[in-house]
Amino acid sequence: MKISALLLLTVAAAFSQTPPVHPAWNGDKVHEIRLRFSQPNYWETLTTNYAGPEGDTPYLEASIEWGQYKFSSVGVRFKGNSSYRGAFTKKKPFRIKLNEFVKGQKIEGIGAFNLSNLFMDASFVREPVYYEMAAALGLKTPRSNYAALYVNDEYIGLYVLGEVENSDFLKNYFGKGEDTGNLYKANIGGVFTYLGEDKAAYKEVWEKQTNEDADDWSDLIELCKIIDQTPSAELKAKLEPLMDIDSFLTAIALDNATLNLDSYVGMGQNFNVYRRPSDKKWVWLVWDPSLAFGAFGQGSNVQLATEYTQTGGIGGGAGGGGQFPPGGQVPPGGQVPPGGQIPGGGNAGGTAATRPLATKLWEIPEYKERYRQIYKHLVNNIFVPEKIIARMNTLRTMIRPYVEADTQKLSTLAAFDAAMTGGSATGQPGQGGGFGGGAAVITGLQPLVQNRVAWLKTQLDPQVFPAASLTASANAINFTPASLTQTVSLQYTGVNTPPSFSLSAATQSGTWLTPSITGGPLPGSFTVTAATAGLANGVHAGAITVYLAGAPAVTIPVTLTIGTLPVPAISAIGNAASYAATAIAPGQIVTLFGSDMGPATLSTLTSGVAVTFDGTPAQLIYVSAGQIGAIAPLSLAGKSQTSIQVSYGNQTSPAVTKTVAPTAPGLFTLNASGTGTGAIINQSGTVNGTSAPAPKGSIIAIYLTGAGVTNAAGTISAATTVTIGGQSAAIAYAGNAPGAVQGLYQVNATVPASVSSGAQPVAVTIGGVSSQSGVNVNVQ
């Protein structure tokens, strides 16, 4: 029997308790929070505290002024993982605990607050809007608003002011007496796999948030065992008294629909589960959706499956190897992996991602149908593009003055302004030795939401919402002062009457690009005009995006070249990981240094720039006048040398000749220098470091470039060996890093049992060529 959307809402409401109105979240507002530290070295102390034992970060005492509330003693600490390490300015994420030093000190019954720094979210609205959607679905959801943070009278920036899921949260959402159960937070790998009866194994991938002193993990172990080990025929009878099934299904549907891949459906993390004391049922609590709406790697692809399966994650995305190096974190300088692409969260060895909870629930027909009904309710009633986009724009209008004044923000004001309609970049370029020095390009929220919902409808009910396609007559538009207009025709393919299209124009600077219309019926056409008035000589980048319900958007890159540009010059070409200016291997990620090679500031809009190897264009990661990240073409295979040129606008550099070799491995490192601790993930999913060494006998994932061509299965073709501490290490997998751009490779190796503890040299040899010296792995 199908369960109607009305019944679903009734069921959710029956288990809901509305939390009391709180001044922090009573209506849209930017709160002003002022922290004051008396310690002269407070920043260094906060940093040292953060680097302490995981899960036990000490608080530093400060005073706070927050409107009418003034406390002379509160606790402050840094929080987060990738959001902390990715903050290349002072804009670190914070947690404020009002009652850390003064017992009972709270604001309207709440003692702790999160300040999230909007890492990888140039729009500033992903987290609040996701939480509002979750609440509308009946999920237990943290509330959020905004805060302008001042530290010792210095404006640190605009933050998302969020509710902490702790005992206060449990009391407010479940009621008095219902706040004494066990609350667990999932880290990478917390996917309900049964790991045996030893709680130590679960502590590697879960965190206990309440009743820590009791240290009783038996209820979580029982839950994982039932989910992972129970035969399908017996599973429903065991799950019904154990789980609030709807909360689990609803959360998975929401993460899937909103392309929130830094979650259970992608990385296998960033959610909480709580065992309600009254009926002993587990409830899903959503958490940390800051990378929802496609901000996490492959989220730019709207065609991700609505049905969660064991192999291929939420839409054919490969699993394996954990997360992007290093562990979803971005090293100093804000660098991200090449192209910002992030592998799926799977098992060591590059095998397909497994999600026991999802796959087991789908084996029960009633639950699978219930999931589809929840999903349809979400898409038809809550994830409505017009409502979601309008809500995002309302929030963005309110916060824009604070974003403009935020000199510590982790993206530019131009990226904020373009975040709704055009791509936004995250991260900063790095020098050689970083993770390719690339910056992730995230699809504009408006086209992503519109196209995601339209595509989801074709999957949920293809008879009602047939798929459509849209094509344009131009793949790119290149203007010069002598030719400032171009006409583009549009064609529609679909079974229904062609709907009307709409379009928008975006430019990197100024408003020089104007389409003749904003939309119309299909088939149709429009004329694009460029204006040169007020523009300096150089190459100006832009884009025209055409939207059509039921079809992916079509984006046409546009360039306008004015004047005769300086001739580009290449001064050096090196391995993007090791920084070595040695031979180049096919498919290797390289960094080009020089002058006049692109725009003055870093851009991931690569229109107007081309890098060729013997005339073959290379895939570009980012461009700027002095530095370009590129991927050498695979067509270099079999060659002994290659001629490299850079073209920018109407000028082309002199050719630079480089030696070509089958392999030229270079290991990525955490400090982006090519030496020091490598970009290595421990088997537990943690980032290898002095505070998180790899146990002997465990598997580590090592990230590199320059491994040469791979075979059809994506594994490295050339003979590959690994040494750790001078000892040979067994290899479990060596090949493409799943889900990443071409050129990023992953080697999974076992730490030898007899190797010494501490920082040990690690080297990967491929095809007889060894990676650079000076790279270490920390061994327990």
Side-chain angles (χ1 to χ4, degrees):
M1 177 183 296
K2 291 186 176 181
I3 300 177
S4 67
L6 179 61
L7 178 57
L8 288 173
L9 292 176
T10 303
V11 171
F15 290 97
S16 295
Q17 172 173 312
T18 303
V21 173
H22 194 276
W25 304 292
N26 187 18
D28 296 342
K29 185 178 180 180
V30 178
H31 294 261
E32 183 178 295
I33 297 178
R34 291 182 175 269
L35 296 174
R36 182 169 293 279
F37 295 89
S38 60
Q39 307 88 338
N41 61 339
Y42 71 91
W43 195 265
E44 290 78 8
T45 304
L46 287 170
T47 303
T48 300
N49 288 352
Y50 177 87
E54 187 174 354
D56 191 27
T57 304
Y59 286 86
L60 185 63
E61 190 173 25
S63 65
I64 188 171
E65 294 183 14
W66 181 351
Q68 63 178 313
Y69 303 99
K70 296 178 175 64
F71 301 115
S72 60
S73 177
V74 301
V76 181
R77 68 172 175 85
F78 293 140
K79 62 175 286 288
N81 188 354
S82 56
S83 58
Y84 171 84
R85 291 174 173 82
F88 51 92
T89 69
K90 283 187 176 181
K91 195 174 181 181
K92 301 290 188 179
F94 290 86
R95 177 165 293 177
I96 301 172
K97 191 173 182 181
L98 302 179
N99 55 355
E100 175 66 15
F101 301 108
V102 180
K103 187 176 180 180
Q105 184 169 264
K106 297 184 178 182
I107 294 177
E108 302 293 327
I110 292 181
F113 302 86
N114 280 336
L115 293 174
S116 301
N117 63 352
L118 297 142
F119 169 66
M120 287 186 70
D121 182 14
S123 77
F124 282 59
V125 294
R126 282 179 164 83
E127 185 169 332
V129 172
Y130 173 100
Y131 276 146
E132 289 176 3
M133 293 174 64
L137 285 166
L139 293 169
K140 307 294 187 184
T141 305
R143 292 166 288 183
S144 64
N145 220 328
Y146 292 92
L149 177 65
Y150 293 81
V151 176
N152 288 8
D153 296 326
E154 178 185 2
Y155 181 41
I156 301 299
L158 182 69
Y159 286 76
V160 170
L161 172 64
E163 192 168 10
V164 179
E165 291 187 358
N166 56 11
S167 58
D168 293 337
F169 178 92
L170 299 175
K171 185 178 296 183
N172 284 328
Y173 282 82
F174 292 93
K176 189 175 182 180
E178 286 288 292
D179 59 336
T180 59
N182 284 339
L183 175 69
Y184 297 90
K185 177 181 182 293
N187 294 321
I188 295 172
V191 294
F192 303 100
T193 301
Y194 177 60
L195 303 173
E197 293 298 314
D198 187 352
K199 61 187 176 185
Y202 297 85
K203 291 182 178 182
E204 290 288 321
V205 292
W206 296 86
E207 291 180 31
K208 204 164 191 283
Q209 304 286 298
T210 59
N211 306 317
E212 298 100 312
D213 292 340
D215 201 30
D216 181 3
W217 291 63
S218 59
D219 53 357
L220 179 67
I221 295 173
E222 176 199 30
L223 176 65
C224 293
K225 186 174 184 179
I226 289 174
I227 290 173
D228 200 18
Q229 303 291 309
T230 304
S232 299
E234 305 171 17
L235 188 59
K236 185 173 184 293
K238 290 190 175 183
L239 288 183
E240 287 287 350
L242 190 65
M243 291 169 53
D244 180 347
I245 301 294
D246 278 349
S247 71
F248 282 66
L249 294 174
T250 302
I252 293 173
L254 178 61
D255 285 333
N256 187 302
T258 59
L259 297 170
N260 183 29
L261 303 190
D262 193 20
S263 67
Y264 180 82
V265 302
M267 298 293 290
Q269 67 169 352
N270 280 343
F271 64 91
N272 294 337
V273 289
Y274 178 63
R275 196 176 190 194
R276 196 163 47 206
S278 59
D279 59 5
K280 307 300 182 184
K281 281 192 173 184
W282 291 93
V283 182
W284 189 293
L285 305 178
V286 294
W287 179 248
D288 192 12
S290 58
L291 301 183
F293 302 102
F296 200 57
Q298 65 256 51
S300 59
N301 176 10
V302 301
Q303 297 183 349
L304 294 179
T306 58
E307 200 168 278
Y308 203 89
T309 57
Q310 181 175 7
T311 56
I314 63 170
Q323 63 267 353
F324 76 70
Q329 300 174 27
V330 178
Q335 296 171 336
V336 298
Q341 297 299 310
I342 302 168
N347 299 325
T351 57
T354 58
R355 297 293 181 272
L357 171 68
T359 55
K360 285 301 185 73
L361 290 179
W362 294 178
E363 293 173 3
I364 301 172
E366 181 179 339
Y367 292 166
K368 190 171 184 178
E369 177 59 22
R370 185 181 297 183
Y371 174 78
R372 289 181 60 81
Q373 293 302 318
I374 291 171
Y375 213 127
K376 286 185 178 181
H377 166 64
L378 165 63
V379 170
N380 290 329
N381 300 286
I382 295 172
F383 198 17
V384 178
E386 293 77 11
K387 295 179 181 179
I388 297 299
I389 293 168
R391 178 59 178 152
M392 289 176 170
N393 283 327
T394 296
L395 292 175
R396 284 165 53 80
T397 298
M398 176 184 72
I399 65 176
R400 192 185 188 283
Y402 298 89
V403 176
E404 185 173 5
D406 184 353
T407 60
Q408 303 288 333
K409 57 182 172 285
L410 306 180
S411 56
T412 65
L413 182 63
F416 172 82
D417 289 336
M420 291 301 296
T421 56
S424 59
T426 64
Q428 296 292 321
Q431 299 300 313
F435 297 110
V441 179
I442 300 172
T443 303
L445 284 169
Q446 180 172 321
L448 184 139
V449 169
Q450 291 172 327
N451 288 286
R452 177 62 173 163
V453 172
W455 187 83
L456 286 172
K457 288 182 176 181
T458 69
Q459 304 303 300
L460 291 166
D461 199 342
Q463 299 304 314
V464 177
F465 304 102
S469 65
L470 179 68
T471 56
S473 61
N475 295 323
I477 298 175
N478 299 301
F479 290 123
T480 66
S483 177
L484 294 175
T485 62
Q486 185 167 330
T487 299
V488 178
S489 60
L490 300 171
Q491 295 296 324
Y492 167 82
T493 301
V495 298
N496 289 344
T497 302
S500 294
F501 69 90
S502 60
L503 57 83
S504 65
T507 56
Q508 200 171 36
S509 61
T511 55
W512 52 268
L513 185 63
T514 307
S516 59
I517 56 176
T518 58
L522 288 168
S525 63
F526 60 93
T527 298
V528 186
T529 302
T532 60
L535 295 180
N537 285 356
V539 178
H540 302 269
I544 297 289
T545 303
V546 187
Y547 308 103
L548 175 66
V554 173
T555 298
I556 306 170
V558 181
T559 59
L560 169 60
T561 303
I562 303 176
T564 300
L565 306 182
V567 177
I570 304 171
S571 60
I573 302 172
N575 184 301
S578 67
Y579 205 29
T582 53
I584 295 174
Q588 178 182 314
I589 303 169
V590 298
T591 304
L592 290 79
F593 295 94
S595 59
D596 301 314
M597 299 189 299
T601 57
L602 172 92
S603 177
T604 53
L605 292 174
T606 58
S607 298
V609 179
V611 176
T612 59
F613 290 71
D614 301 324
T616 300
Q619 179 181 341
L620 302 182
I621 301 169
Y622 64 89
V623 297
S624 68
Q627 184 176 332
I628 294 175
I631 303 171
L634 291 173
S635 60
L636 294 183
K639 294 183 177 181
S640 60
Q641 63 180 28
T642 182
S643 177
I644 305 169
Q645 289 182 287
V646 174
S647 296
Y648 180 48
N650 49 23
Q651 297 284 8
T652 300
S653 72
V656 172
T657 300
K658 291 287 291 185
T659 301
V660 175
T663 64
L667 304 186
F668 289 104
T669 58
L670 293 187
N671 63 9
S673 70
T675 60
T677 302
I680 296 170
I681 305 301
N682 296 327
Q683 188 168 346
S684 63
T686 57
V687 183
N688 184 268
T690 55
S691 61
K696 297 171 185 177
S698 67
I699 296 176
I700 59 172
I702 306 165
Y703 291 88
L704 64 147
T705 192
V709 298
T710 59
N711 58 29
T715 56
I716 297 171
S717 299
T720 303
T721 61
V722 175
T723 59
I724 297 174
Q727 299 184 34
S728 178
I731 294 177
Y733 171 80
N736 295 322
V741 295
Q742 174 191 306
L744 182 63
Y745 302 87
Q746 174 183 322
V747 175
N748 295 350
T750 301
V751 179
S754 58
V755 73
S756 299
S757 299
Q760 296 298 321
V762 58
V764 179
T765 300
I766 303 175
V769 181
S770 180
S771 58
Q772 76 270 28
S773 60
V775 180
N776 304 318
V777 58
N778 294 278
V779 179
Q780 194 173 60

